[in-house]
Structure formats: structure tokens, C-alpha cells
Amino acid sequence: MARIAVIGAGMGAMAAAARLAVAGHRVAVYERTDTYGGALRRFERDGFAFDTGPGLLPLPAVHRDLFVKTGKEPLEDRVELVQVDPSARHVFADGTAVSLPNVSRAGVVAALDEALGKGAGQRWGDFLVRAREAWDRARRPLLEEPLWPNWQVLAEREPYPAVPHKRLLRTRRAGTLAEVGAWELRDPRLAALLESHALAYGLDPRTAPASAAVLPYLDHAFGTWYVRGGLRELARAVYERCLARRVEFTFGAEVRGIVDKDGRAAGVELADGTVAEAEFVVAGVPPRVLDGMVRGTALRGAGEVPPQPGAPSRLTVLLALRGGRPEGTAHRTVVHTEDRAAELDALFGAAPGLPERPTVSVSRPGDPALVPDPDHEAVTLTATVPASASADLRAQADRMIAVASRAIPGLRDRLLWHEVRTPADIARVTGAEGGAVPAPALAAAQGRLLHPANTTGLAGLFTVGGWSHPGGGLPHAGMSGALVAGLIVEGPEFRGSQ
């Protein structure tokens, strides 16, 4: 039995802690804030409650596996999972709206044909077939195994089977998500639907590789799920699973450094000078934070994945509304910008700023646990913004409310109050510089969207969570926890679950 110190109580770190504890190790978690869950936080006021991080759970099989492997208990025994249907309603720039059924290719094709015109659904359906092939090609090496030492193969290999396209007397294949939309979907509304999945993860579809097609495919193939009471309930369930496996938690405990003994991690040093010895250290913190903890040690070896480019953040607006949620309201509505080029230029240009007309995701759960009574509604708006954004965020929140009014008639008349959660708030709870939010790992693009391996240049030190392999997002955090546990329990030859 080894002593293992885990830095941070985010979802990936807790997933690793639970798996390591059930393998017989003594695990202690040190969290600098006063609670667990990382970005999965909750805001409460006047009987209203809101998730301030992610609001929906993709690929629930990852967390089902966690609960089975750490207690032979279904996830559904700990939280109530609800499949969201429709998976989303989309309101496009021209006013066209479409609701997409959850996990139904035939239903999606029919809905798109009816809303956008005959042939639109078939083009989207054909795209999903190609996206599935990309998923099948990339899933195991990219997500379910430790990062390959020859990761350059993933960087160079584009798994998406783009359709040949004749352009200027030349035959070309789409290399970016935007080119997939323009050349294969051939409808600005379908392109907006496609690109919104990248934008939600802070990716510029003009530079994101075609392999980003797996993002809408995940929603389509595995469904979109809601946890009754909000996703904070999922964090609570994972935390309680850790406690049941005798993981020790110390909150308000900031780790100042990693103890390095003879070239191997030997514990952690806390801000109060206390040293907690350990045979292994698992760090669920952003790279720059970890670099500050390991002074004088090269964490990245030769041939390591290059540093990630700066990731954007998100702005969240919490709305308390008078009046109940109307029957048949979609849980999630995406209101698309009226000027996509201007939005992308503002967010990803040389001098990132705030778009005048942002794409806004409107979450209306209709969950009685989130409101004081049936005559009120809790609504959450989210939009991508640059990391470190600070100027005019209140004005941007007002713009988001105006955009959301396209999906919620009479919104301003119903508004009791609103709260704004900024990149600074994300930075405070996650430690990420500027409140940046990591994207999932993607193949191709010369490795720009791969993440550093879970192993490091310091023996015995491992990284977990969204800033390490396989990247950001709740499913990926759970996958990283499984990979780190496997590497510690089975050693460097571990190649993932079969």
C-alpha cells in the first residue's frame, strides 16, 4: 500500500483518488478552496439554485464505469440521470428554429428537413456517419490509452474521412471544421450548427481540425444527460464515493511545492510549511501552477507535446425569473449569432475581445429543486469569451440577455434579478490563468490540441484533469482519472482498459 497525495479536488482528481483508494492505497487530497468539485459549483439565492460550471453531462458511461469499478454500484443509485429530449433547440440568424431529438438519427434528419428544407437532414446524417468513423479511429489511442510516446502520429493523422471537394479546378479535402461545414454541409445554418459545438469548447472552427467532428457526434451517439438537482450533485456523489473508500480530504490546504527526493516525487509541501510525505503525487492543477510547485525540475521531456495555446473562457449569467417554465420548453436552446465572422474575429483575432452579438446557450432545466416554487424559473446563459476578459463584462451580460430574448419571449419583463460569473470567478475556483477552460484533446492540427501526458519528467509525479491528457470536459476528466490510476497501479506498461 502506497501513500498518495492528490493536489486538488476537481472531478478528474477525485476520480483518480477513488480508483486508487479501492486498489488499496492510502490517498489524501489537498484542496486550496473550501469545497470539492473544481468548476462544478453551485450558486444559491432566494430559493433559486444554479450550476455555475457545466450544466449537462455527455458520455455518462465514463462516470458509470467509475461507480462500478469503485463500489459495484450503479451511478443511478447515487444521482438521478435524465435524458434531455430534445437534445437542443437551435435558433439561427435568419430566425429559423429546429429542435433536434436525442439519440435518433432518423428523427434528426426529419427535423432538419422540415425546418431547413429537403436534403438538409440527409447532408447532416451523412456527416454524422463520417464523424462516427473519426470517433472509431481516434477513440482508443486518443482517449482511452495513456498518450503515446510517438504522439506525433496522432498529430499528423486526420481521422475524419473528408469528402473530396472540387475547388478552383483542384480536388481538396476539408482540413478544418469550418471547411467541413462549407464544403460538405453547404448550408449556413447547418454550418452554424456544426461550428457551435466547437465554439462551446472555446475552439475556433476556422482553425479547429476536421476531427472536431467528434464533438457533435458525442452528443448524437451517446445522448445528452442532466443530473436532477444540477451537476453539482454529480460532484457530491463522487466526493461521497471517495469518502466511502476512505480518501482523506483537507480543504483550505494550498500546496506550495512538490517534495523532490533523489529525482523522485516524495510528497507535498503546504503553504503553512507542513510536509506530507507520499510515494506518489497526483496533481490536478493547470500547468503553470504545477511548474511553480516543481522548482528547478524539467517536467516536460524531449519530444513532449508542445504547450497548449491560450484557451478562452466563458461568461455565465444566472437569471431568476417570475413565472413558471412553460410546458414543452427545450432544456437547452442555442441562439446563434447574426454575424458569425465578426464573432469569431472578436474572440480569436489578434486582439481578442467581446463580440457585439454572441452565440448564447440558454439552459432551462425545469427542475423543481432549482426554484423556490412552480411559479418561478431558473435560467442560465453561457457564452464564450476570451480568458482574462474583464472590461465591459456587465455590458456583455446585458447583450447575452438581449440575445436570449429571441428564445424566451418577454424575458426582461419576467426578470427578477441576475448574477454574472466571469473568467475571474473561474480562475478563483480552478486556479486556471485568466479563467481559461481547457478543450478536449483532438487529433491532427500538428498536435496543437493534444494535452501533455499524465506522466511527467519527475518520477512519481502524475497529472490529472482537463489540463492533461485527454483534455477538458467532464467525460475526459473521468478518463484522465482512470488513466492515472492505471499508470500508478499497473505501472508504465499500462495501456488502458480493454
Side-chain angles (χ1 to χ4, degrees):
M1 180 178 71
R3 293 169 297 177
I4 300 176
V6 177
I7 305 172
M11 295 300 285
M14 289 198 296
R19 289 176 181 272
L20 289 166
V22 83
H25 298 292
R26 180 180 175 184
V27 184
V29 177
Y30 300 91
E31 167 59 46
R32 66 180 180 83
T33 70
D34 61 357
T35 189
Y36 54 83
L40 291 187
R41 299 297 173 102
R42 174 179 286 154
F43 175 80
E44 298 181 357
R45 175 182 163 186
D46 300 340
F48 292 88
F50 304 85
D51 282 325
T52 58
L56 291 172
L57 178 64
L59 203 57
V62 173
H63 288 88
R64 289 187 176 119
D65 180 74
L66 170 64
F67 276 78
V68 170
K69 296 290 177 59
T70 60
K72 298 181 180 179
E73 180 183 24
L75 171 63
E76 285 83 351
D77 282 0
R78 308 304 304 168
V79 298
E80 183 182 353
L81 282 181
V82 180
Q83 194 168 28
V84 176
D85 199 7
S87 64
R89 178 172 179 260
H90 290 265
V91 179
F92 298 107
D94 65 356
T96 305
V98 61
S99 293
L100 301 180
N102 207 343
V103 198
S104 171
R105 182 181 183 276
V108 167
V109 168
L112 288 172
D113 274 345
E114 181 178 353
L116 308 186
K118 188 171 178 59
Q122 188 62 50
R123 289 195 298 277
W124 183 259
D126 291 345
F127 157 74
L128 287 176
V129 172
R130 294 188 291 274
R132 174 185 176 180
E133 187 171 338
W135 169 255
D136 289 341
R137 290 175 177 177
R139 175 178 58 85
R140 182 157 185 82
L142 188 64
L143 302 178
E144 298 178 356
E145 297 181 357
L147 188 68
W148 290 351
N150 61 333
W151 58 266
Q152 291 87 349
V153 175
L154 295 173
E156 297 163 359
R157 181 185 299 163
E158 172 54 76
Y160 179 77
V163 176
H165 171 75
K166 287 190 176 181
R167 183 178 176 87
L168 300 178
L169 302 181
R170 295 172 55 197
T171 299
R172 300 179 59 185
R173 293 179 181 268
T176 67
L177 200 65
E179 289 175 342
V180 172
W183 299 354
E184 299 179 12
L185 298 179
R186 305 191 308 279
D187 183 309
R189 296 163 298 185
L190 289 178
L193 170 60
L194 172 65
E195 293 179 5
S196 66
H197 288 82
L199 188 62
Y201 285 103
L203 298 172
D204 184 348
R206 301 171 301 184
T207 58
S211 64
V214 300
L215 300 178
Y217 175 75
L218 280 174
D219 280 358
H220 167 76
F222 303 106
T224 303
W225 299 79
Y226 174 69
V227 177
R228 187 74 68 188
L231 253 67
R232 177 66 180 174
E233 289 299 296
L234 177 65
R236 175 196 54 77
V238 175
Y239 171 65
E240 291 178 351
R241 173 50 48 89
C242 287
L243 294 180
R245 296 296 163 261
R246 300 184 180 178
V247 175
E248 300 173 3
F249 284 81
T250 304
F251 296 104
E254 183 172 0
V255 174
R256 182 168 61 190
I258 309 292
V259 177
D260 181 343
K261 185 175 181 180
D262 299 327
R264 181 180 177 86
V268 297
E269 180 184 356
L270 304 181
D272 64 4
T274 302
V275 172
E277 296 182 347
E279 281 77 40
F280 297 95
V281 176
V282 176
V285 297
R288 185 165 294 189
V289 175
L290 182 60
D291 289 344
M293 295 177 180
V294 191
R295 297 174 286 274
T297 300
L299 291 182
R300 313 284 180 255
E304 179 59 278
V305 169
Q308 282 279 301
S313 184
R314 66 170 63 96
L315 186 64
T316 304
V317 186
L318 315 175
L319 308 178
L321 304 185
R322 62 171 61 87
R325 177 179 182 265
E327 188 71 25
T329 297
H331 185 118
R332 176 179 58 167
T333 297
V334 179
V335 185
H336 294 264
T337 180
E338 296 170 353
D339 191 339
R340 177 55 55 87
E343 178 180 40
L344 297 180
D345 286 343
L347 291 172
F348 304 106
L354 301 173
E356 288 288 331
R357 288 172 283 183
T359 294
V360 176
S361 179
V362 181
S363 178
R364 306 177 70 181
D367 185 344
L370 306 183
V371 292
D373 56 58
D375 294 326
H376 293 85
E377 184 179 5
V379 176
T380 302
L381 314 180
T382 56
T384 298
V385 296
S388 302
S390 57
D392 298 324
L393 286 180
R394 296 289 170 179
Q396 188 70 0
D398 286 339
R399 295 187 190 104
M400 290 169 62
I401 293 173
V403 170
S405 297
R406 293 170 55 196
I408 308 177
L411 172 58
R412 289 196 182 273
D413 292 335
R414 296 179 58 195
L415 185 60
L416 293 170
W417 50 262
H418 72 276
E419 292 277 346
V420 180
R421 288 294 174 267
T422 70
D425 295 310
I426 296 175
R428 186 162 50 252
V429 300
T430 68
E433 185 177 10
V437 178
L442 293 173
Q446 294 77 52
R448 286 187 298 105
L449 294 172
L450 296 176
H451 291 257
N454 306 107
T455 53
T456 71
L458 179 63
L461 174 63
F462 298 82
T463 63
V464 73
W467 294 103
S468 59
H469 180 72
L474 276 175
H476 298 72
M479 293 174 193
S480 75
L483 291 174
V484 168
L487 287 165
I488 292 176
V489 172
E490 299 186 27
E493 299 306 313
F494 173 70
R495 287 296 174 264
S497 58
Q498 300 296 323

PDB file of all heavy atoms in Angstrom, residues 261-288:
ATOM      1  N   LYS A 261      12.901  14.175  -3.902  1.00  0.00           N
ATOM      2  CA  LYS A 261      13.954  13.454  -3.178  1.00  0.00           C
ATOM      3  C   LYS A 261      14.640  12.495  -4.133  1.00  0.00           C
ATOM      4  O   LYS A 261      14.029  11.547  -4.632  1.00  0.00           O
ATOM      5  CB  LYS A 261      13.350  12.697  -2.003  1.00  0.00           C
ATOM      6  CG  LYS A 261      14.390  12.025  -1.115  1.00  0.00           C
ATOM      7  CD  LYS A 261      13.729  11.390   0.097  1.00  0.00           C
ATOM      8  CE  LYS A 261      14.766  10.735   1.006  1.00  0.00           C
ATOM      9  NZ  LYS A 261      14.129  10.113   2.197  1.00  0.00           N
ATOM     10  N   ASP A 262      15.903  12.790  -4.426  1.00  0.00           N
ATOM     11  CA  ASP A 262      16.699  11.944  -5.323  1.00  0.00           C
ATOM     12  C   ASP A 262      16.023  11.759  -6.678  1.00  0.00           C
ATOM     13  O   ASP A 262      16.003  10.661  -7.249  1.00  0.00           O
ATOM     14  CB  ASP A 262      16.957  10.572  -4.682  1.00  0.00           C
ATOM     15  CG  ASP A 262      17.723  10.661  -3.372  1.00  0.00           C
ATOM     16  OD1 ASP A 262      18.570  11.567  -3.256  1.00  0.00           O
ATOM     17  OD2 ASP A 262      17.449   9.856  -2.474  1.00  0.00           O
ATOM     18  N   GLY A 263      15.433  12.858  -7.194  1.00  0.00           N
ATOM     19  CA  GLY A 263      14.842  12.817  -8.523  1.00  0.00           C
ATOM     20  C   GLY A 263      13.498  12.134  -8.587  1.00  0.00           C
ATOM     21  O   GLY A 263      13.074  11.713  -9.672  1.00  0.00           O
ATOM     22  N   ARG A 264      12.816  12.066  -7.448  1.00  0.00           N
ATOM     23  CA  ARG A 264      11.504  11.432  -7.422  1.00  0.00           C
ATOM     24  C   ARG A 264      10.582  12.217  -6.492  1.00  0.00           C
ATOM     25  O   ARG A 264      11.010  12.717  -5.444  1.00  0.00           O
ATOM     26  CB  ARG A 264      11.614   9.985  -6.934  1.00  0.00           C
ATOM     27  CG  ARG A 264      10.271   9.270  -6.906  1.00  0.00           C
ATOM     28  CD  ARG A 264      10.359   7.837  -6.434  1.00  0.00           C
ATOM     29  NE  ARG A 264       9.022   7.258  -6.372  1.00  0.00           N
ATOM     30  CZ  ARG A 264       8.404   6.700  -7.387  1.00  0.00           C
ATOM     31  NH1 ARG A 264       9.008   6.632  -8.567  1.00  0.00           N
ATOM     32  NH2 ARG A 264       7.167   6.222  -7.255  1.00  0.00           N
ATOM     33  N   ALA A 265       9.299  12.330  -6.888  1.00  0.00           N
ATOM     34  CA  ALA A 265       8.334  12.993  -6.029  1.00  0.00           C
ATOM     35  C   ALA A 265       8.197  12.207  -4.727  1.00  0.00           C
ATOM     36  O   ALA A 265       8.020  10.989  -4.739  1.00  0.00           O
ATOM     37  CB  ALA A 265       6.981  13.095  -6.727  1.00  0.00           C
ATOM     38  N   ALA A 266       8.278  12.936  -3.594  1.00  0.00           N
ATOM     39  CA  ALA A 266       8.252  12.268  -2.296  1.00  0.00           C
ATOM     40  C   ALA A 266       7.235  12.890  -1.347  1.00  0.00           C
ATOM     41  O   ALA A 266       7.267  12.624  -0.147  1.00  0.00           O
ATOM     42  CB  ALA A 266       9.643  12.304  -1.660  1.00  0.00           C
ATOM     43  N   GLY A 267       6.348  13.731  -1.892  1.00  0.00           N
ATOM     44  CA  GLY A 267       5.335  14.342  -1.049  1.00  0.00           C
ATOM     45  C   GLY A 267       5.038  15.755  -1.490  1.00  0.00           C
ATOM     46  O   GLY A 267       5.492  16.211  -2.546  1.00  0.00           O
ATOM     47  N   VAL A 268       4.262  16.460  -0.660  1.00  0.00           N
ATOM     48  CA  VAL A 268       3.901  17.846  -0.968  1.00  0.00           C
ATOM     49  C   VAL A 268       4.179  18.726   0.244  1.00  0.00           C
ATOM     50  O   VAL A 268       4.088  18.287   1.390  1.00  0.00           O
ATOM     51  CB  VAL A 268       2.413  17.961  -1.372  1.00  0.00           C
ATOM     52  CG1 VAL A 268       2.137  17.188  -2.652  1.00  0.00           C
ATOM     53  CG2 VAL A 268       1.490  17.496  -0.255  1.00  0.00           C
ATOM     54  N   GLU A 269       4.519  19.969  -0.044  1.00  0.00           N
ATOM     55  CA  GLU A 269       4.725  20.969   1.000  1.00  0.00           C
ATOM     56  C   GLU A 269       3.576  21.965   0.950  1.00  0.00           C
ATOM     57  O   GLU A 269       3.290  22.544  -0.096  1.00  0.00           O
ATOM     58  CB  GLU A 269       6.048  21.704   0.793  1.00  0.00           C
ATOM     59  CG  GLU A 269       6.316  22.762   1.859  1.00  0.00           C
ATOM     60  CD  GLU A 269       7.580  23.555   1.593  1.00  0.00           C
ATOM     61  OE1 GLU A 269       8.294  23.227   0.620  1.00  0.00           O
ATOM     62  OE2 GLU A 269       7.837  24.516   2.345  1.00  0.00           O
ATOM     63  N   LEU A 270       2.897  22.157   2.081  1.00  0.00           N
ATOM     64  CA  LEU A 270       1.766  23.060   2.151  1.00  0.00           C
ATOM     65  C   LEU A 270       2.226  24.475   2.459  1.00  0.00           C
ATOM     66  O   LEU A 270       3.364  24.710   2.892  1.00  0.00           O
ATOM     67  CB  LEU A 270       0.770  22.581   3.208  1.00  0.00           C
ATOM     68  CG  LEU A 270       0.246  21.151   3.027  1.00  0.00           C
ATOM     69  CD1 LEU A 270      -0.748  20.813   4.127  1.00  0.00           C
ATOM     70  CD2 LEU A 270      -0.374  20.963   1.668  1.00  0.00           C
ATOM     71  N   ALA A 271       1.327  25.428   2.234  1.00  0.00           N
ATOM     72  CA  ALA A 271       1.669  26.839   2.422  1.00  0.00           C
ATOM     73  C   ALA A 271       2.056  27.152   3.862  1.00  0.00           C
ATOM     74  O   ALA A 271       2.811  28.097   4.112  1.00  0.00           O
ATOM     75  CB  ALA A 271       0.492  27.715   1.986  1.00  0.00           C
ATOM     76  N   ASP A 272       1.556  26.382   4.830  1.00  0.00           N
ATOM     77  CA  ASP A 272       1.910  26.626   6.235  1.00  0.00           C
ATOM     78  C   ASP A 272       3.221  25.966   6.632  1.00  0.00           C
ATOM     79  O   ASP A 272       3.603  25.976   7.811  1.00  0.00           O
ATOM     80  CB  ASP A 272       0.784  26.151   7.158  1.00  0.00           C
ATOM     81  CG  ASP A 272       0.548  24.640   7.083  1.00  0.00           C
ATOM     82  OD1 ASP A 272       1.305  23.944   6.379  1.00  0.00           O
ATOM     83  OD2 ASP A 272      -0.396  24.152   7.744  1.00  0.00           O
ATOM     84  N   GLY A 273       3.907  25.368   5.649  1.00  0.00           N
ATOM     85  CA  GLY A 273       5.188  24.731   5.911  1.00  0.00           C
ATOM     86  C   GLY A 273       5.105  23.251   6.217  1.00  0.00           C
ATOM     87  O   GLY A 273       6.126  22.560   6.273  1.00  0.00           O
ATOM     88  N   THR A 274       3.904  22.713   6.405  1.00  0.00           N
ATOM     89  CA  THR A 274       3.732  21.288   6.666  1.00  0.00           C
ATOM     90  C   THR A 274       4.141  20.470   5.446  1.00  0.00           C
ATOM     91  O   THR A 274       3.839  20.844   4.308  1.00  0.00           O
ATOM     92  CB  THR A 274       2.265  20.981   7.015  1.00  0.00           C
ATOM     93  OG1 THR A 274       1.889  21.759   8.150  1.00  0.00           O
ATOM     94  CG2 THR A 274       2.076  19.506   7.321  1.00  0.00           C
ATOM     95  N   VAL A 275       4.814  19.362   5.658  1.00  0.00           N
ATOM     96  CA  VAL A 275       5.181  18.452   4.588  1.00  0.00           C
ATOM     97  C   VAL A 275       4.423  17.145   4.770  1.00  0.00           C
ATOM     98  O   VAL A 275       4.457  16.541   5.857  1.00  0.00           O
ATOM     99  CB  VAL A 275       6.700  18.187   4.564  1.00  0.00           C
ATOM    100  CG1 VAL A 275       7.035  17.085   3.556  1.00  0.00           C
ATOM    101  CG2 VAL A 275       7.459  19.461   4.221  1.00  0.00           C
ATOM    102  N   ALA A 276       3.716  16.736   3.747  1.00  0.00           N
ATOM    103  CA  ALA A 276       3.015  15.455   3.746  1.00  0.00           C
ATOM    104  C   ALA A 276       3.776  14.507   2.832  1.00  0.00           C
ATOM    105  O   ALA A 276       3.837  14.729   1.614  1.00  0.00           O
ATOM    106  CB  ALA A 276       1.576  15.626   3.273  1.00  0.00           C
ATOM    107  N   GLU A 277       4.373  13.470   3.413  1.00  0.00           N
ATOM    108  CA  GLU A 277       5.163  12.543   2.624  1.00  0.00           C
ATOM    109  C   GLU A 277       4.260  11.609   1.817  1.00  0.00           C
ATOM    110  O   GLU A 277       3.153  11.275   2.234  1.00  0.00           O
ATOM    111  CB  GLU A 277       6.077  11.731   3.537  1.00  0.00           C
ATOM    112  CG  GLU A 277       7.111  12.580   4.265  1.00  0.00           C
ATOM    113  CD  GLU A 277       8.026  11.740   5.135  1.00  0.00           C
ATOM    114  OE1 GLU A 277       7.704  10.539   5.358  1.00  0.00           O
ATOM    115  OE2 GLU A 277       9.051  12.265   5.601  1.00  0.00           O
ATOM    116  N   ALA A 278       4.751  11.197   0.654  1.00  0.00           N
ATOM    117  CA  ALA A 278       3.986  10.303  -0.208  1.00  0.00           C
ATOM    118  C   ALA A 278       4.920   9.618  -1.182  1.00  0.00           C
ATOM    119  O   ALA A 278       5.975  10.157  -1.541  1.00  0.00           O
ATOM    120  CB  ALA A 278       2.905  11.071  -0.965  1.00  0.00           C
ATOM    121  N   GLU A 279       4.528   8.415  -1.609  1.00  0.00           N
ATOM    122  CA  GLU A 279       5.301   7.706  -2.632  1.00  0.00           C
ATOM    123  C   GLU A 279       4.935   8.178  -4.040  1.00  0.00           C
ATOM    124  O   GLU A 279       5.745   8.070  -4.959  1.00  0.00           O
ATOM    125  CB  GLU A 279       5.056   6.199  -2.529  1.00  0.00           C
ATOM    126  CG  GLU A 279       5.837   5.508  -1.412  1.00  0.00           C
ATOM    127  CD  GLU A 279       5.224   5.760  -0.041  1.00  0.00           C
ATOM    128  OE1 GLU A 279       3.986   5.762   0.068  1.00  0.00           O
ATOM    129  OE2 GLU A 279       5.985   5.958   0.913  1.00  0.00           O
ATOM    130  N   PHE A 280       3.711   8.678  -4.193  1.00  0.00           N
ATOM    131  CA  PHE A 280       3.270   9.222  -5.470  1.00  0.00           C
ATOM    132  C   PHE A 280       2.522  10.525  -5.210  1.00  0.00           C
ATOM    133  O   PHE A 280       1.866  10.681  -4.176  1.00  0.00           O
ATOM    134  CB  PHE A 280       2.324   8.252  -6.199  1.00  0.00           C
ATOM    135  CG  PHE A 280       2.944   6.940  -6.573  1.00  0.00           C
ATOM    136  CD1 PHE A 280       2.809   5.837  -5.741  1.00  0.00           C
ATOM    137  CD2 PHE A 280       3.658   6.794  -7.757  1.00  0.00           C
ATOM    138  CE1 PHE A 280       3.357   4.614  -6.086  1.00  0.00           C
ATOM    139  CE2 PHE A 280       4.217   5.581  -8.110  1.00  0.00           C
ATOM    140  CZ  PHE A 280       4.071   4.482  -7.270  1.00  0.00           C
ATOM    141  N   VAL A 281       2.585  11.429  -6.192  1.00  0.00           N
ATOM    142  CA  VAL A 281       1.828  12.680  -6.150  1.00  0.00           C
ATOM    143  C   VAL A 281       1.035  12.792  -7.439  1.00  0.00           C
ATOM    144  O   VAL A 281       1.580  12.592  -8.537  1.00  0.00           O
ATOM    145  CB  VAL A 281       2.743  13.907  -5.983  1.00  0.00           C
ATOM    146  CG1 VAL A 281       1.935  15.203  -6.041  1.00  0.00           C
ATOM    147  CG2 VAL A 281       3.518  13.828  -4.665  1.00  0.00           C
ATOM    148  N   VAL A 282      -0.256  13.093  -7.312  1.00  0.00           N
ATOM    149  CA  VAL A 282      -1.134  13.305  -8.462  1.00  0.00           C
ATOM    150  C   VAL A 282      -1.593  14.750  -8.425  1.00  0.00           C
ATOM    151  O   VAL A 282      -2.210  15.182  -7.451  1.00  0.00           O
ATOM    152  CB  VAL A 282      -2.351  12.356  -8.425  1.00  0.00           C
ATOM    153  CG1 VAL A 282      -3.294  12.660  -9.587  1.00  0.00           C
ATOM    154  CG2 VAL A 282      -1.891  10.905  -8.457  1.00  0.00           C
ATOM    155  N   ALA A 283      -1.286  15.511  -9.475  1.00  0.00           N
ATOM    156  CA  ALA A 283      -1.578  16.942  -9.494  1.00  0.00           C
ATOM    157  C   ALA A 283      -2.716  17.249 -10.448  1.00  0.00           C
ATOM    158  O   ALA A 283      -2.592  17.038 -11.653  1.00  0.00           O
ATOM    159  CB  ALA A 283      -0.331  17.740  -9.893  1.00  0.00           C
ATOM    160  N   GLY A 284      -3.810  17.747  -9.907  1.00  0.00           N
ATOM    161  CA  GLY A 284      -4.944  18.158 -10.731  1.00  0.00           C
ATOM    162  C   GLY A 284      -5.007  19.661 -10.836  1.00  0.00           C
ATOM    163  O   GLY A 284      -6.038  20.272 -10.518  1.00  0.00           O
ATOM    164  N   VAL A 285      -3.923  20.268 -11.297  1.00  0.00           N
ATOM    165  CA  VAL A 285      -3.821  21.726 -11.387  1.00  0.00           C
ATOM    166  C   VAL A 285      -3.321  22.114 -12.773  1.00  0.00           C
ATOM    167  O   VAL A 285      -2.712  21.299 -13.472  1.00  0.00           O
ATOM    168  CB  VAL A 285      -2.863  22.284 -10.308  1.00  0.00           C
ATOM    169  CG1 VAL A 285      -3.400  21.999  -8.912  1.00  0.00           C
ATOM    170  CG2 VAL A 285      -1.455  21.703 -10.461  1.00  0.00           C
ATOM    171  N   PRO A 286      -3.554  23.364 -13.199  1.00  0.00           N
ATOM    172  CA  PRO A 286      -3.066  23.810 -14.508  1.00  0.00           C
ATOM    173  C   PRO A 286      -1.544  23.776 -14.589  1.00  0.00           C
ATOM    174  O   PRO A 286      -0.849  23.842 -13.558  1.00  0.00           O
ATOM    175  CB  PRO A 286      -3.601  25.243 -14.611  1.00  0.00           C
ATOM    176  CG  PRO A 286      -4.771  25.284 -13.680  1.00  0.00           C
ATOM    177  CD  PRO A 286      -4.396  24.386 -12.546  1.00  0.00           C
ATOM    178  N   PRO A 287      -0.994  23.672 -15.801  1.00  0.00           N
ATOM    179  CA  PRO A 287       0.454  23.511 -15.972  1.00  0.00           C
ATOM    180  C   PRO A 287       1.289  24.597 -15.305  1.00  0.00           C
ATOM    181  O   PRO A 287       2.304  24.297 -14.663  1.00  0.00           O
ATOM    182  CB  PRO A 287       0.636  23.526 -17.498  1.00  0.00           C
ATOM    183  CG  PRO A 287      -0.678  23.107 -18.037  1.00  0.00           C
ATOM    184  CD  PRO A 287      -1.705  23.620 -17.090  1.00  0.00           C
ATOM    185  N   ARG A 288       0.880  25.849 -15.447  1.00  0.00           N
ATOM    186  CA  ARG A 288       1.698  26.919 -14.872  1.00  0.00           C
ATOM    187  C   ARG A 288       1.722  26.837 -13.351  1.00  0.00           C
ATOM    188  O   ARG A 288       2.746  27.115 -12.717  1.00  0.00           O
ATOM    189  CB  ARG A 288       1.183  28.283 -15.329  1.00  0.00           C
ATOM    190  CG  ARG A 288       2.061  29.439 -14.875  1.00  0.00           C
ATOM    191  CD  ARG A 288       1.757  30.718 -15.620  1.00  0.00           C
ATOM    192  NE  ARG A 288       2.090  30.608 -17.035  1.00  0.00           N
ATOM    193  CZ  ARG A 288       2.083  31.622 -17.881  1.00  0.00           C
ATOM    194  NH1 ARG A 288       1.761  32.840 -17.458  1.00  0.00           N
ATOM    195  NH2 ARG A 288       2.387  31.445 -19.151  1.00  0.00           N
TER     196      ARG A 288
END
